[in-house]
Amino acid sequence: MSSSLTKADAEKTSDISAGVVPGQELERITDGKIEKGETAYVDVTVATLWTDPKAPRKVDKPALSHPVDLDKWNKNLKSTDVRRGLTGKTETQATYGSEVTVLETKGSWAKVAVADQKTPKNKKGYPGWLPTKQLVENDRFGKLRDEQPRAVVTTPKSELTGIEFTKDTGADISFNVDLPLIAQDVDDVRVALPGGGAAWVDIDDVDVYDVDGKPEKPSGNDLVKTAKQFDGLRYLWAGVSAYGYDCSGFTYSIYKAHGIDLPRDSGEQAKAGKAVSSSNLKAGDLLFFSTPSGTVHHVGMYIGDGKMIHSPNASKDVYVTDWKKWDSGNEFSGARRIL
């Protein structure tokens, strides 16, 4: 399969498990250590990467635990000023199951590079610090990622049920989480977990792809439909999940959901695709805004009829606006067509 799996498809493809033996072939393979140079996987709902182990504030404690409590963290960040205080303290985020390379360790913290977030900061991926307890080393999970079909979450949030052969992960799954698929029935898919074991996910919450499969090329309207799922979601500096996005984390994530790899940050996104005139915009084009010195500081996605959807700043939510009226400072610096 190279496209999404419907319930009808599931009835026809019940042998997709590819011979994974319950229990035995889902046990975690690890030496129990997180060390420099190793590949590891995010083992919490969303891991936040910090500029330094000393960067988190007292209000950020719910984001540092295992499991994380993102609802409590967002409650702590209710004030715009407190939320704005994350600027310069956080780098990016990585969702459950994301692959990282360990760059170094310091006490109970690890500096990692997120493999699927392109950046000139590090060729291995986007770098930052996180508590080591939010990571897991599991060679078997890596093998399953390479050899099994994939179940990718398409709804803002979903849940793991019927967890087997492991302790409860304490994690929820959200948009773009990508896990190895080992079985399915009409209503659910069974996925392998980064910490070992397996769980079920509602089939309506995922798309399924073969080992080398990816989504069909989207239309601009497909991108717009996906983006509008998050209308009203509160801005979060460094955010790349359904618990909060920053401007480039939002556009990066929407394109990623359709199999298109954009760089993580707006400055690099502004070099992707091809330039397009503001008089010739199409749905899905990216709009960039810069400081007087030419530094790109914001990106939004054009949705048609002179409007864009974006995640602008700590005082706002993801929302749709007339982009020219919004750009009261005349900071528009160009548009890029990715499709």
PDB file of all heavy atoms in Angstrom, residues 91-92 126 235-240 245-255 262-270 286 288 296-300 310-312:
ATOM      1  N   GLU A  91      14.191  25.379  21.597  1.00  0.00           N
ATOM      2  CA  GLU A  91      14.679  25.286  20.223  1.00  0.00           C
ATOM      3  C   GLU A  91      13.619  24.735  19.270  1.00  0.00           C
ATOM      4  O   GLU A  91      13.318  25.313  18.233  1.00  0.00           O
ATOM      5  CB  GLU A  91      15.918  24.387  20.173  1.00  0.00           C
ATOM      6  CG  GLU A  91      17.112  24.899  20.964  1.00  0.00           C
ATOM      7  CD  GLU A  91      17.877  25.986  20.228  1.00  0.00           C
ATOM      8  OE1 GLU A  91      17.373  26.502  19.209  1.00  0.00           O
ATOM      9  OE2 GLU A  91      18.986  26.311  20.674  1.00  0.00           O
ATOM     10  N   THR A  92      13.071  23.579  19.619  1.00  0.00           N
ATOM     11  CA  THR A  92      12.041  22.931  18.815  1.00  0.00           C
ATOM     12  C   THR A  92      11.392  21.876  19.695  1.00  0.00           C
ATOM     13  O   THR A  92      11.644  21.810  20.908  1.00  0.00           O
ATOM     14  CB  THR A  92      12.639  22.308  17.533  1.00  0.00           C
ATOM     15  OG1 THR A  92      11.574  21.879  16.665  1.00  0.00           O
ATOM     16  CG2 THR A  92      13.557  21.131  17.836  1.00  0.00           C
ATOM     17  N   TYR A 126      17.743  18.849  13.842  1.00  0.00           N
ATOM     18  CA  TYR A 126      17.627  20.048  14.679  1.00  0.00           C
ATOM     19  C   TYR A 126      18.089  19.753  16.104  1.00  0.00           C
ATOM     20  O   TYR A 126      17.600  18.831  16.749  1.00  0.00           O
ATOM     21  CB  TYR A 126      16.181  20.541  14.692  1.00  0.00           C
ATOM     22  CG  TYR A 126      16.090  22.039  14.818  1.00  0.00           C
ATOM     23  CD1 TYR A 126      15.870  22.843  13.713  1.00  0.00           C
ATOM     24  CD2 TYR A 126      16.260  22.657  16.056  1.00  0.00           C
ATOM     25  CE1 TYR A 126      15.811  24.225  13.817  1.00  0.00           C
ATOM     26  CE2 TYR A 126      16.205  24.034  16.176  1.00  0.00           C
ATOM     27  CZ  TYR A 126      15.981  24.810  15.057  1.00  0.00           C
ATOM     28  OH  TYR A 126      15.938  26.178  15.174  1.00  0.00           O
ATOM     29  N   TYR A 235      -0.573  29.673  20.055  1.00  0.00           N
ATOM     30  CA  TYR A 235       0.833  29.737  19.626  1.00  0.00           C
ATOM     31  C   TYR A 235       1.749  29.219  20.733  1.00  0.00           C
ATOM     32  O   TYR A 235       1.509  29.427  21.926  1.00  0.00           O
ATOM     33  CB  TYR A 235       1.184  31.193  19.312  1.00  0.00           C
ATOM     34  CG  TYR A 235       2.641  31.430  18.966  1.00  0.00           C
ATOM     35  CD1 TYR A 235       3.057  31.468  17.642  1.00  0.00           C
ATOM     36  CD2 TYR A 235       3.596  31.652  19.954  1.00  0.00           C
ATOM     37  CE1 TYR A 235       4.393  31.713  17.314  1.00  0.00           C
ATOM     38  CE2 TYR A 235       4.924  31.889  19.642  1.00  0.00           C
ATOM     39  CZ  TYR A 235       5.314  31.914  18.327  1.00  0.00           C
ATOM     40  OH  TYR A 235       6.626  32.153  18.014  1.00  0.00           O
ATOM     41  N   LEU A 236       2.819  28.539  20.328  1.00  0.00           N
ATOM     42  CA  LEU A 236       3.851  28.097  21.267  1.00  0.00           C
ATOM     43  C   LEU A 236       5.209  28.214  20.597  1.00  0.00           C
ATOM     44  O   LEU A 236       5.450  27.571  19.567  1.00  0.00           O
ATOM     45  CB  LEU A 236       3.608  26.643  21.688  1.00  0.00           C
ATOM     46  CG  LEU A 236       4.584  26.080  22.718  1.00  0.00           C
ATOM     47  CD1 LEU A 236       4.387  26.738  24.075  1.00  0.00           C
ATOM     48  CD2 LEU A 236       4.440  24.563  22.828  1.00  0.00           C
ATOM     49  N   TRP A 237       6.080  29.036  21.159  1.00  0.00           N
ATOM     50  CA  TRP A 237       7.436  29.169  20.625  1.00  0.00           C
ATOM     51  C   TRP A 237       8.094  27.796  20.590  1.00  0.00           C
ATOM     52  O   TRP A 237       8.087  27.056  21.581  1.00  0.00           O
ATOM     53  CB  TRP A 237       8.243  30.126  21.496  1.00  0.00           C
ATOM     54  CG  TRP A 237       9.682  30.273  21.070  1.00  0.00           C
ATOM     55  CD1 TRP A 237      10.743  29.543  21.517  1.00  0.00           C
ATOM     56  CD2 TRP A 237      10.200  31.191  20.109  1.00  0.00           C
ATOM     57  NE1 TRP A 237      11.894  29.941  20.906  1.00  0.00           N
ATOM     58  CE2 TRP A 237      11.601  30.963  20.029  1.00  0.00           C
ATOM     59  CE3 TRP A 237       9.635  32.191  19.309  1.00  0.00           C
ATOM     60  CZ2 TRP A 237      12.440  31.686  19.184  1.00  0.00           C
ATOM     61  CZ3 TRP A 237      10.470  32.916  18.470  1.00  0.00           C
ATOM     62  CH2 TRP A 237      11.850  32.671  18.411  1.00  0.00           C
ATOM     63  N   ALA A 238       8.664  27.422  19.450  1.00  0.00           N
ATOM     64  CA  ALA A 238       9.333  26.135  19.210  1.00  0.00           C
ATOM     65  C   ALA A 238       8.359  24.985  18.987  1.00  0.00           C
ATOM     66  O   ALA A 238       8.783  23.853  18.753  1.00  0.00           O
ATOM     67  CB  ALA A 238      10.300  25.768  20.344  1.00  0.00           C
ATOM     68  N   GLY A 239       7.052  25.248  19.019  1.00  0.00           N
ATOM     69  CA  GLY A 239       6.068  24.184  18.931  1.00  0.00           C
ATOM     70  C   GLY A 239       5.940  23.539  17.562  1.00  0.00           C
ATOM     71  O   GLY A 239       5.932  24.225  16.537  1.00  0.00           O
ATOM     72  N   VAL A 240       5.825  22.210  17.552  1.00  0.00           N
ATOM     73  CA  VAL A 240       5.604  21.466  16.305  1.00  0.00           C
ATOM     74  C   VAL A 240       4.531  20.393  16.494  1.00  0.00           C
ATOM     75  O   VAL A 240       4.556  19.369  15.812  1.00  0.00           O
ATOM     76  CB  VAL A 240       6.903  20.809  15.776  1.00  0.00           C
ATOM     77  CG1 VAL A 240       7.941  21.823  15.385  1.00  0.00           C
ATOM     78  CG2 VAL A 240       7.462  19.812  16.775  1.00  0.00           C
ATOM     79  N   TYR A 245       1.891  25.459  18.126  1.00  0.00           N
ATOM     80  CA  TYR A 245       2.850  25.663  17.034  1.00  0.00           C
ATOM     81  C   TYR A 245       3.442  27.062  17.093  1.00  0.00           C
ATOM     82  O   TYR A 245       2.760  28.014  17.488  1.00  0.00           O
ATOM     83  CB  TYR A 245       2.154  25.543  15.672  1.00  0.00           C
ATOM     84  CG  TYR A 245       1.714  24.163  15.287  1.00  0.00           C
ATOM     85  CD1 TYR A 245       0.365  23.824  15.273  1.00  0.00           C
ATOM     86  CD2 TYR A 245       2.633  23.193  14.903  1.00  0.00           C
ATOM     87  CE1 TYR A 245      -0.053  22.560  14.892  1.00  0.00           C
ATOM     88  CE2 TYR A 245       2.226  21.918  14.529  1.00  0.00           C
ATOM     89  CZ  TYR A 245       0.877  21.608  14.528  1.00  0.00           C
ATOM     90  OH  TYR A 245       0.479  20.355  14.157  1.00  0.00           O
ATOM     91  N   ASP A 246       4.711  27.184  16.656  1.00  0.00           N
ATOM     92  CA  ASP A 246       5.192  28.506  16.272  1.00  0.00           C
ATOM     93  C   ASP A 246       4.957  28.634  14.766  1.00  0.00           C
ATOM     94  O   ASP A 246       4.409  27.730  14.122  1.00  0.00           O
ATOM     95  CB  ASP A 246       6.639  28.741  16.696  1.00  0.00           C
ATOM     96  CG  ASP A 246       7.664  27.844  16.007  1.00  0.00           C
ATOM     97  OD1 ASP A 246       7.324  27.194  14.992  1.00  0.00           O
ATOM     98  OD2 ASP A 246       8.815  27.798  16.471  1.00  0.00           O
ATOM     99  N   CYS A 247       5.349  29.758  14.172  1.00  0.00           N
ATOM    100  CA  CYS A 247       4.960  30.006  12.777  1.00  0.00           C
ATOM    101  C   CYS A 247       5.538  28.973  11.818  1.00  0.00           C
ATOM    102  O   CYS A 247       4.819  28.397  10.998  1.00  0.00           O
ATOM    103  CB  CYS A 247       5.334  31.427  12.356  1.00  0.00           C
ATOM    104  SG  CYS A 247       7.108  31.780  12.253  1.00  0.00           S
ATOM    105  N   SER A 248       6.826  28.711  11.920  1.00  0.00           N
ATOM    106  CA  SER A 248       7.451  27.772  10.983  1.00  0.00           C
ATOM    107  C   SER A 248       7.199  26.325  11.380  1.00  0.00           C
ATOM    108  O   SER A 248       7.183  25.436  10.519  1.00  0.00           O
ATOM    109  CB  SER A 248       8.955  28.037  10.877  1.00  0.00           C
ATOM    110  OG  SER A 248       9.578  27.947  12.149  1.00  0.00           O
ATOM    111  N   GLY A 249       6.989  26.075  12.668  1.00  0.00           N
ATOM    112  CA  GLY A 249       6.616  24.737  13.105  1.00  0.00           C
ATOM    113  C   GLY A 249       5.272  24.332  12.513  1.00  0.00           C
ATOM    114  O   GLY A 249       5.038  23.167  12.190  1.00  0.00           O
ATOM    115  N   PHE A 250       4.401  25.322  12.355  1.00  0.00           N
ATOM    116  CA  PHE A 250       3.085  25.079  11.762  1.00  0.00           C
ATOM    117  C   PHE A 250       3.206  24.711  10.287  1.00  0.00           C
ATOM    118  O   PHE A 250       2.709  23.672   9.852  1.00  0.00           O
ATOM    119  CB  PHE A 250       2.221  26.331  11.946  1.00  0.00           C
ATOM    120  CG  PHE A 250       0.827  26.211  11.399  1.00  0.00           C
ATOM    121  CD1 PHE A 250      -0.024  25.213  11.824  1.00  0.00           C
ATOM    122  CD2 PHE A 250       0.348  27.133  10.469  1.00  0.00           C
ATOM    123  CE1 PHE A 250      -1.327  25.105  11.326  1.00  0.00           C
ATOM    124  CE2 PHE A 250      -0.933  27.048   9.968  1.00  0.00           C
ATOM    125  CZ  PHE A 250      -1.779  26.037  10.388  1.00  0.00           C
ATOM    126  N   THR A 251       3.891  25.532   9.512  1.00  0.00           N
ATOM    127  CA  THR A 251       4.013  25.237   8.080  1.00  0.00           C
ATOM    128  C   THR A 251       4.823  23.958   7.846  1.00  0.00           C
ATOM    129  O   THR A 251       4.489  23.146   6.982  1.00  0.00           O
ATOM    130  CB  THR A 251       4.645  26.417   7.331  1.00  0.00           C
ATOM    131  OG1 THR A 251       5.844  26.838   8.005  1.00  0.00           O
ATOM    132  CG2 THR A 251       3.681  27.593   7.279  1.00  0.00           C
ATOM    133  N   TYR A 252       5.882  23.768   8.623  1.00  0.00           N
ATOM    134  CA  TYR A 252       6.677  22.536   8.534  1.00  0.00           C
ATOM    135  C   TYR A 252       5.787  21.312   8.753  1.00  0.00           C
ATOM    136  O   TYR A 252       5.847  20.332   8.000  1.00  0.00           O
ATOM    137  CB  TYR A 252       7.798  22.570   9.581  1.00  0.00           C
ATOM    138  CG  TYR A 252       8.376  21.222   9.928  1.00  0.00           C
ATOM    139  CD1 TYR A 252       9.339  20.616   9.126  1.00  0.00           C
ATOM    140  CD2 TYR A 252       7.949  20.540  11.073  1.00  0.00           C
ATOM    141  CE1 TYR A 252       9.856  19.367   9.439  1.00  0.00           C
ATOM    142  CE2 TYR A 252       8.461  19.296  11.396  1.00  0.00           C
ATOM    143  CZ  TYR A 252       9.413  18.712  10.581  1.00  0.00           C
ATOM    144  OH  TYR A 252       9.909  17.469  10.897  1.00  0.00           O
ATOM    145  N   SER A 253       4.944  21.359   9.774  1.00  0.00           N
ATOM    146  CA  SER A 253       4.123  20.206  10.135  1.00  0.00           C
ATOM    147  C   SER A 253       3.026  19.933   9.119  1.00  0.00           C
ATOM    148  O   SER A 253       2.714  18.764   8.830  1.00  0.00           O
ATOM    149  CB  SER A 253       3.507  20.424  11.524  1.00  0.00           C
ATOM    150  OG  SER A 253       4.511  20.526  12.510  1.00  0.00           O
ATOM    151  N   ILE A 254       2.419  20.983   8.579  1.00  0.00           N
ATOM    152  CA  ILE A 254       1.365  20.787   7.589  1.00  0.00           C
ATOM    153  C   ILE A 254       1.932  20.137   6.327  1.00  0.00           C
ATOM    154  O   ILE A 254       1.355  19.186   5.786  1.00  0.00           O
ATOM    155  CB  ILE A 254       0.685  22.127   7.240  1.00  0.00           C
ATOM    156  CG1 ILE A 254       0.051  22.739   8.495  1.00  0.00           C
ATOM    157  CG2 ILE A 254      -0.351  21.932   6.138  1.00  0.00           C
ATOM    158  CD1 ILE A 254      -0.889  21.824   9.248  1.00  0.00           C
ATOM    159  N   TYR A 255       3.066  20.620   5.868  1.00  0.00           N
ATOM    160  CA  TYR A 255       3.678  20.006   4.688  1.00  0.00           C
ATOM    161  C   TYR A 255       4.163  18.589   4.986  1.00  0.00           C
ATOM    162  O   TYR A 255       4.044  17.690   4.145  1.00  0.00           O
ATOM    163  CB  TYR A 255       4.822  20.881   4.172  1.00  0.00           C
ATOM    164  CG  TYR A 255       4.366  21.900   3.158  1.00  0.00           C
ATOM    165  CD1 TYR A 255       3.879  23.139   3.562  1.00  0.00           C
ATOM    166  CD2 TYR A 255       4.381  21.620   1.798  1.00  0.00           C
ATOM    167  CE1 TYR A 255       3.431  24.077   2.641  1.00  0.00           C
ATOM    168  CE2 TYR A 255       3.943  22.541   0.863  1.00  0.00           C
ATOM    169  CZ  TYR A 255       3.469  23.763   1.289  1.00  0.00           C
ATOM    170  OH  TYR A 255       3.015  24.673   0.357  1.00  0.00           O
ATOM    171  N   LEU A 262      10.030  20.140   4.541  1.00  0.00           N
ATOM    172  CA  LEU A 262      10.502  21.512   4.582  1.00  0.00           C
ATOM    173  C   LEU A 262      11.548  21.650   5.672  1.00  0.00           C
ATOM    174  O   LEU A 262      11.526  20.901   6.651  1.00  0.00           O
ATOM    175  CB  LEU A 262       9.349  22.473   4.908  1.00  0.00           C
ATOM    176  CG  LEU A 262       8.320  22.795   3.832  1.00  0.00           C
ATOM    177  CD1 LEU A 262       7.302  23.772   4.402  1.00  0.00           C
ATOM    178  CD2 LEU A 262       8.981  23.380   2.600  1.00  0.00           C
ATOM    179  N   PRO A 263      12.472  22.599   5.561  1.00  0.00           N
ATOM    180  CA  PRO A 263      13.340  22.905   6.699  1.00  0.00           C
ATOM    181  C   PRO A 263      12.490  23.334   7.899  1.00  0.00           C
ATOM    182  O   PRO A 263      11.350  23.770   7.746  1.00  0.00           O
ATOM    183  CB  PRO A 263      14.196  24.060   6.182  1.00  0.00           C
ATOM    184  CG  PRO A 263      14.140  23.947   4.691  1.00  0.00           C
ATOM    185  CD  PRO A 263      12.777  23.421   4.377  1.00  0.00           C
ATOM    186  N   ARG A 264      13.040  23.227   9.079  1.00  0.00           N
ATOM    187  CA  ARG A 264      12.300  23.530  10.303  1.00  0.00           C
ATOM    188  C   ARG A 264      12.014  25.021  10.479  1.00  0.00           C
ATOM    189  O   ARG A 264      10.932  25.402  10.958  1.00  0.00           O
ATOM    190  CB  ARG A 264      13.081  22.990  11.519  1.00  0.00           C
ATOM    191  CG  ARG A 264      12.604  23.469  12.887  1.00  0.00           C
ATOM    192  CD  ARG A 264      11.179  23.024  13.151  1.00  0.00           C
ATOM    193  NE  ARG A 264      10.725  23.467  14.470  1.00  0.00           N
ATOM    194  CZ  ARG A 264      10.184  24.646  14.736  1.00  0.00           C
ATOM    195  NH1 ARG A 264      10.060  25.566  13.777  1.00  0.00           N
ATOM    196  NH2 ARG A 264       9.763  24.941  15.960  1.00  0.00           N
ATOM    197  N   ASP A 265      12.947  25.908  10.121  1.00  0.00           N
ATOM    198  CA  ASP A 265      12.818  27.333  10.427  1.00  0.00           C
ATOM    199  C   ASP A 265      12.418  28.166   9.210  1.00  0.00           C
ATOM    200  O   ASP A 265      12.711  27.814   8.067  1.00  0.00           O
ATOM    201  CB  ASP A 265      14.134  27.871  10.993  1.00  0.00           C
ATOM    202  CG  ASP A 265      14.411  27.356  12.391  1.00  0.00           C
ATOM    203  OD1 ASP A 265      13.461  26.940  13.088  1.00  0.00           O
ATOM    204  OD2 ASP A 265      15.592  27.374  12.800  1.00  0.00           O
ATOM    205  N   SER A 266      11.777  29.307   9.475  1.00  0.00           N
ATOM    206  CA  SER A 266      11.245  30.139   8.403  1.00  0.00           C
ATOM    207  C   SER A 266      12.331  30.669   7.468  1.00  0.00           C
ATOM    208  O   SER A 266      12.115  30.764   6.260  1.00  0.00           O
ATOM    209  CB  SER A 266      10.449  31.311   8.991  1.00  0.00           C
ATOM    210  OG  SER A 266      11.255  32.108   9.842  1.00  0.00           O
ATOM    211  N   GLY A 267      13.507  31.014   8.002  1.00  0.00           N
ATOM    212  CA  GLY A 267      14.576  31.532   7.161  1.00  0.00           C
ATOM    213  C   GLY A 267      15.003  30.549   6.103  1.00  0.00           C
ATOM    214  O   GLY A 267      15.280  30.925   4.952  1.00  0.00           O
ATOM    215  N   GLU A 268      15.045  29.271   6.453  1.00  0.00           N
ATOM    216  CA  GLU A 268      15.411  28.233   5.490  1.00  0.00           C
ATOM    217  C   GLU A 268      14.226  27.865   4.605  1.00  0.00           C
ATOM    218  O   GLU A 268      14.402  27.539   3.429  1.00  0.00           O
ATOM    219  CB  GLU A 268      15.941  27.004   6.229  1.00  0.00           C
ATOM    220  CG  GLU A 268      17.237  27.247   6.984  1.00  0.00           C
ATOM    221  CD  GLU A 268      18.347  27.742   6.077  1.00  0.00           C
ATOM    222  OE1 GLU A 268      18.592  27.111   5.027  1.00  0.00           O
ATOM    223  OE2 GLU A 268      18.967  28.762   6.413  1.00  0.00           O
ATOM    224  N   GLN A 269      13.012  27.902   5.153  1.00  0.00           N
ATOM    225  CA  GLN A 269      11.836  27.648   4.332  1.00  0.00           C
ATOM    226  C   GLN A 269      11.728  28.661   3.198  1.00  0.00           C
ATOM    227  O   GLN A 269      11.244  28.352   2.106  1.00  0.00           O
ATOM    228  CB  GLN A 269      10.566  27.683   5.190  1.00  0.00           C
ATOM    229  CG  GLN A 269      10.428  26.511   6.146  1.00  0.00           C
ATOM    230  CD  GLN A 269       9.170  26.574   6.990  1.00  0.00           C
ATOM    231  OE1 GLN A 269       8.284  27.398   6.752  1.00  0.00           O
ATOM    232  NE2 GLN A 269       9.084  25.715   8.000  1.00  0.00           N
ATOM    233  N   ALA A 270      12.210  29.890   3.458  1.00  0.00           N
ATOM    234  CA  ALA A 270      12.149  30.951   2.456  1.00  0.00           C
ATOM    235  C   ALA A 270      13.065  30.688   1.266  1.00  0.00           C
ATOM    236  O   ALA A 270      13.018  31.418   0.268  1.00  0.00           O
ATOM    237  CB  ALA A 270      12.509  32.294   3.098  1.00  0.00           C
ATOM    238  N   LEU A 286       3.709  29.701   0.458  1.00  0.00           N
ATOM    239  CA  LEU A 286       4.183  30.249   1.725  1.00  0.00           C
ATOM    240  C   LEU A 286       4.504  31.730   1.560  1.00  0.00           C
ATOM    241  O   LEU A 286       5.140  32.131   0.585  1.00  0.00           O
ATOM    242  CB  LEU A 286       5.418  29.493   2.202  1.00  0.00           C
ATOM    243  CG  LEU A 286       5.223  27.996   2.485  1.00  0.00           C
ATOM    244  CD1 LEU A 286       6.521  27.374   3.000  1.00  0.00           C
ATOM    245  CD2 LEU A 286       4.096  27.757   3.487  1.00  0.00           C
ATOM    246  N   PHE A 288       6.308  35.111   3.326  1.00  0.00           N
ATOM    247  CA  PHE A 288       7.376  35.401   4.284  1.00  0.00           C
ATOM    248  C   PHE A 288       7.429  36.895   4.601  1.00  0.00           C
ATOM    249  O   PHE A 288       7.157  37.748   3.743  1.00  0.00           O
ATOM    250  CB  PHE A 288       8.718  34.924   3.727  1.00  0.00           C
ATOM    251  CG  PHE A 288       8.779  33.433   3.572  1.00  0.00           C
ATOM    252  CD1 PHE A 288       8.451  32.836   2.363  1.00  0.00           C
ATOM    253  CD2 PHE A 288       9.121  32.623   4.642  1.00  0.00           C
ATOM    254  CE1 PHE A 288       8.472  31.460   2.214  1.00  0.00           C
ATOM    255  CE2 PHE A 288       9.146  31.241   4.506  1.00  0.00           C
ATOM    256  CZ  PHE A 288       8.825  30.656   3.295  1.00  0.00           C
ATOM    257  N   VAL A 296      14.306  37.015   7.722  1.00  0.00           N
ATOM    258  CA  VAL A 296      12.950  36.456   7.760  1.00  0.00           C
ATOM    259  C   VAL A 296      12.583  36.115   9.195  1.00  0.00           C
ATOM    260  O   VAL A 296      13.334  35.419   9.889  1.00  0.00           O
ATOM    261  CB  VAL A 296      12.849  35.199   6.872  1.00  0.00           C
ATOM    262  CG1 VAL A 296      11.482  34.543   7.029  1.00  0.00           C
ATOM    263  CG2 VAL A 296      13.100  35.555   5.414  1.00  0.00           C
ATOM    264  N   HIS A 297      11.439  36.617   9.650  1.00  0.00           N
ATOM    265  CA  HIS A 297      11.031  36.351  11.030  1.00  0.00           C
ATOM    266  C   HIS A 297       9.649  35.722  11.135  1.00  0.00           C
ATOM    267  O   HIS A 297       9.216  35.352  12.233  1.00  0.00           O
ATOM    268  CB  HIS A 297      11.061  37.643  11.862  1.00  0.00           C
ATOM    269  CG  HIS A 297      10.015  38.647  11.446  1.00  0.00           C
ATOM    270  ND1 HIS A 297       8.722  38.601  11.925  1.00  0.00           N
ATOM    271  CD2 HIS A 297      10.075  39.720  10.610  1.00  0.00           C
ATOM    272  CE1 HIS A 297       8.032  39.609  11.396  1.00  0.00           C
ATOM    273  NE2 HIS A 297       8.825  40.301  10.592  1.00  0.00           N
ATOM    274  N   HIS A 298       8.949  35.566   9.994  1.00  0.00           N
ATOM    275  CA  HIS A 298       7.601  35.001  10.073  1.00  0.00           C
ATOM    276  C   HIS A 298       7.221  34.362   8.746  1.00  0.00           C
ATOM    277  O   HIS A 298       7.652  34.787   7.674  1.00  0.00           O
ATOM    278  CB  HIS A 298       6.579  36.089  10.426  1.00  0.00           C
ATOM    279  CG  HIS A 298       5.198  35.548  10.652  1.00  0.00           C
ATOM    280  ND1 HIS A 298       4.918  34.620  11.622  1.00  0.00           N
ATOM    281  CD2 HIS A 298       4.014  35.774  10.004  1.00  0.00           C
ATOM    282  CE1 HIS A 298       3.626  34.312  11.586  1.00  0.00           C
ATOM    283  NE2 HIS A 298       3.061  34.993  10.605  1.00  0.00           N
ATOM    284  N   VAL A 299       6.387  33.311   8.844  1.00  0.00           N
ATOM    285  CA  VAL A 299       5.868  32.637   7.658  1.00  0.00           C
ATOM    286  C   VAL A 299       4.410  32.274   7.896  1.00  0.00           C
ATOM    287  O   VAL A 299       4.006  31.914   9.013  1.00  0.00           O
ATOM    288  CB  VAL A 299       6.695  31.369   7.318  1.00  0.00           C
ATOM    289  CG1 VAL A 299       6.711  30.382   8.493  1.00  0.00           C
ATOM    290  CG2 VAL A 299       6.167  30.690   6.063  1.00  0.00           C
ATOM    291  N   GLY A 300       3.600  32.410   6.863  1.00  0.00           N
ATOM    292  CA  GLY A 300       2.215  31.974   6.885  1.00  0.00           C
ATOM    293  C   GLY A 300       1.919  31.226   5.599  1.00  0.00           C
ATOM    294  O   GLY A 300       2.724  31.228   4.662  1.00  0.00           O
ATOM    295  N   HIS A 310      -1.990  31.293   9.766  1.00  0.00           N
ATOM    296  CA  HIS A 310      -0.662  31.328  10.376  1.00  0.00           C
ATOM    297  C   HIS A 310      -0.764  31.273  11.892  1.00  0.00           C
ATOM    298  O   HIS A 310      -1.849  31.391  12.472  1.00  0.00           O
ATOM    299  CB  HIS A 310       0.100  32.585   9.930  1.00  0.00           C
ATOM    300  CG  HIS A 310      -0.483  33.891  10.414  1.00  0.00           C
ATOM    301  ND1 HIS A 310       0.279  35.037  10.552  1.00  0.00           N
ATOM    302  CD2 HIS A 310      -1.737  34.243  10.796  1.00  0.00           C
ATOM    303  CE1 HIS A 310      -0.478  36.026  10.982  1.00  0.00           C
ATOM    304  NE2 HIS A 310      -1.699  35.579  11.137  1.00  0.00           N
ATOM    305  N   SER A 311       0.395  31.067  12.515  1.00  0.00           N
ATOM    306  CA  SER A 311       0.523  31.079  13.973  1.00  0.00           C
ATOM    307  C   SER A 311       1.492  32.201  14.317  1.00  0.00           C
ATOM    308  O   SER A 311       2.703  32.008  14.292  1.00  0.00           O
ATOM    309  CB  SER A 311       1.048  29.720  14.471  1.00  0.00           C
ATOM    310  OG  SER A 311       1.049  29.662  15.876  1.00  0.00           O
ATOM    311  N   PRO A 312       0.981  33.412  14.603  1.00  0.00           N
ATOM    312  CA  PRO A 312       1.829  34.603  14.573  1.00  0.00           C
ATOM    313  C   PRO A 312       2.710  34.903  15.780  1.00  0.00           C
ATOM    314  O   PRO A 312       3.875  35.243  15.615  1.00  0.00           O
ATOM    315  CB  PRO A 312       0.825  35.732  14.358  1.00  0.00           C
ATOM    316  CG  PRO A 312      -0.447  35.216  14.947  1.00  0.00           C
ATOM    317  CD  PRO A 312      -0.450  33.743  14.714  1.00  0.00           C
TER     318      PRO A 312
END
